[in-house]
Amino acid sequence: MSNVNEQDLLDTRIRAHYESVPPSEKRLADLLLSFPGNITDYSATELCELAKTSRAAATRFFSRLGYKDFNDARRQAREAKQWGTPVYQNSSLRTSDSKTSQSQIISDHLNREQANLQRTLEGIDVSTLRSLVKAIIGKKRIRIIGYRNNRFFAEYLHRQLSLLRTDVTLHPGANQAIAEELFDINQDDLLIVFALRRRTPIIENIVELANQQQTPIALIADPTAATIEKHATWKLNCIVHSTSTLDSYTSVMSILSLLISHLFAESPDALSRLRAIETIHEQFGELSGK
């Protein structure tokens, strides 16, 4: 534990130890990475139940992070709340029961969406955003990766970027092996990887390949992508918690909208390209509504 900085908050410590955490503890790590404020509102027993792990695993977990015990970690998190640390402000995981009023259901949902958006957008570093936009404009090829639910966002971003520049491709292609599509990536490319939970194991292989080939990576993911985010040149962190058991992706679409808007404003060729496309739309009458 000599390498533990006692000033580091809970989420920072989890990220530092994430790769060495065994599966029984990793479920708790994922829960607290996404929402470290949970530790202030739940008992150790409740957190173990939510993470589907044992008290013994939780004890080992907090010791691994350099805390005396669970209460030591909770005390620090409570102090972070008092300091106004944004990550620790909202921490509700409880779902509505059958007696909850319709107005309360809507109110809870709205509060959660607002909290997700606020935490996501306030977490963006402007210099990181500008640097990523510059790379999207300047790199020879843009490769966009998305599996499972991540595919929806990869397809959307692929479509929008294709309107603004050339050489944007979506991977994996239908019925294709991704190794055949990425074997020649290099430092002139930009790899945009969507890695929102639950990720497929191949994402780590793709990130490793990109590092070997010196290909810069833009990672769009939630906080549980701790294992791979250290390999990314840019990380856009999305908070995806929901009042239901399924994740909410409002924050993801907001980040993509921000990224595309900024790209359009900064790209010297985007407007002329869109005008050329609109000319052909008019010629074909595709979008005339007739």
Side-chain angles (χ1 to χ4, degrees), residues 47 76 99 131 143 150 155 189 191 204 258 267 281:
L47 282 177
Q76 187 198 45
K99 296 181 180 179
S131 175
R143 309 291 192 95
N150 292 283
E155 289 177 347
D189 298 327
L191 199 67
E204 293 192 16
L258 176 64
S267 175
H281 276 318

Side-chain angles (χ1 to χ4, degrees), residues 161-228:
L161 293 189
S162 295
L163 293 174
L164 303 180
R165 58 153 292 160
T166 60
D167 295 318
V168 182
T169 53
L170 177 66
H171 305 277
N175 302 314
Q176 298 298 313
I178 199 165
E180 298 168 357
E181 301 176 333
L182 299 183
F183 74 95
D184 63 343
I185 57 174
N186 56 59
Q187 59 189 3
D188 294 325
D189 298 327
L190 168 62
L191 199 67
I192 301 178
V193 178
F194 285 89
L196 299 155
R197 63 185 190 186
R198 302 165 64 190
R199 289 171 292 279
T200 55
I202 198 170
I203 288 295
E204 293 192 16
N205 296 331
I206 292 170
V207 168
E208 182 178 349
L209 173 66
N211 275 265
Q212 291 172 357
Q213 305 287 73
Q214 297 184 322
T215 305
I217 300 168
L219 182 66
I220 301 175
D222 67 278
T224 64
T227 303
I228 57 178

Side-chain angles (χ1 to χ4, degrees), residues 96 100 103-113 243:
S96 301
T100 304
S103 61
Q104 185 63 48
I105 290 173
I106 298 298
S107 176
D108 290 346
H109 175 74
L110 178 59
N111 289 337
R112 171 57 52 231
E113 295 294 286
T243 53

